[in-house]
Amino acid sequence: ACNLCGSAEFVVVAHRDRYGYAAEAHACSRCGLVFLNPRLTAAAYQRFYESVYRPLVSAFHGRLIDAHTIQDEQAAYADERIEFLRPFVASNLTTLLDIGGSTGVVAARVAREFGLAATVIDPAPLEIDEARRLGLETLTGLVEQHEFRGRTFDLVTICQTVDHLLDVAGTLERVRGLLESNGLLFVDIVDFRAAYSRGSSVEDAIKIDHPYYLTDATMTAYLR
């Protein structure tokens, strides 16, 4: 069933992804959510992020993209998001959870700017190693599977990671429980319409590592 509205009426929009995987993408006829159907299992995605993800992206772009080379780009991204967040982050917030936080560069810069203690969760061990070197608390794994044991946070960020989640609705429900009563959630998307408009076909925007493809309308519907 559709992860957003529960419908079971879909339209096939792509049969392969941009890397050549036989990754079929469906669009929900009721709400417009696009998603891989079927998708890899949680265990398969864990193996994918451990050994396939960065070499695959590097080969596709023809340059090395790994836990070291992406950090300058992540720093620039973090600085832009800090300016966006500034009006909303109150002085009494103390803790940050960055879901899919990669190398920890974004979490570290946000934490330093606002005086927060940061925790990063990500399934890629090499990227988590980089976050650990920055002095951050790190959790290796998928947010859908991690047991937080009653912990709560003042700020939860999902920075262009929501489309990597295995269960968007379930994760957002978990985040509600992870947030303090006065807590903030920041989430931004890779807009699917913009992504396929840049290429020559919808398949150019489909990626095996993105189970979901969000637009402003579908992300807003999730949050509502």
Side-chain angles (χ1 to χ4, degrees):
C2 173
N3 187 258
L4 175 54
C5 74
S7 173
E9 297 182 8
F10 312 137
V11 175
V12 179
V13 297
H15 294 279
R16 304 189 73 81
D17 81 341
R18 68 177 186 174
Y19 305 119
Y21 285 104
E24 194 164 284
H26 291 187
C28 176
S29 298
R30 180 189 295 170
C31 71
L33 180 69
V34 177
F35 53 95
L36 297 185
N37 189 22
R39 62 156 172 79
L40 297 178
T41 63
Y45 270 120
Q46 188 72 57
R47 294 193 297 271
F48 177 83
Y49 285 117
E50 287 173 357
S51 59
V52 178
Y53 178 49
R54 290 301 181 190
L56 174 68
V57 174
S58 296
F60 180 80
H61 289 285
R63 59 185 175 88
L64 179 63
I65 302 174
D66 63 13
H68 298 287
T69 63
I70 60 173
Q71 293 189 31
D72 287 345
E73 180 180 333
Q74 290 177 339
Y77 169 92
D79 291 343
E80 291 177 357
R81 296 314 181 270
I82 284 169
E83 293 310 309
F84 178 87
L85 286 168
R86 193 178 303 282
F88 305 100
V89 178
S91 59
N92 62 335
L93 303 187
T94 61
T95 53
L96 162 68
L97 173 66
D98 191 11
I99 294 174
S102 183
T103 66
V105 168
V106 174
R109 292 174 91 92
V110 171
R112 183 171 64 246
E113 183 68 27
F114 299 116
L116 307 173
T119 302
V120 172
I121 182 168
D122 195 276
L126 293 178
E127 300 189 23
I128 280 293
D129 286 345
E130 294 298 309
R132 194 174 296 117
R133 289 189 184 96
L134 292 175
L136 304 176
E137 180 189 9
T138 60
L139 307 170
T140 305
L142 300 168
V143 68
E144 293 91 342
Q145 296 181 324
H146 185 77
E147 178 53 63
F148 287 92
R149 303 186 186 281
R151 292 185 65 183
T152 56
F153 301 87
D154 296 312
L155 172 63
V156 174
T157 53
I158 309 176
C159 297
Q160 294 192 348
T161 301
V162 65
D163 38 25
H164 286 267
L165 297 174
L166 305 187
D167 178 2
V168 177
T171 298
L172 291 175
E173 185 175 355
R174 290 201 78 191
V175 166
R176 180 181 287 278
L178 290 170
L179 276 174
E180 287 285 351
S181 59
N182 64 334
L184 291 173
L185 166 64
F186 171 81
V187 54
D188 63 350
I189 65 172
V190 177
D191 188 272
F192 182 53
R193 290 177 179 172
Y196 71 65
S197 295
R198 286 194 297 267
S200 58
S201 70
V202 171
E203 288 184 344
D204 289 340
I206 302 298
K207 299 186 283 187
I208 191 72
D209 51 300
H210 284 197
Y212 297 96
Y213 301 84
L214 286 303
T215 64
D216 281 345
T218 51
M219 191 68 246
T220 299
Y222 265 122
L223 293 172
R224 284 178 176 160

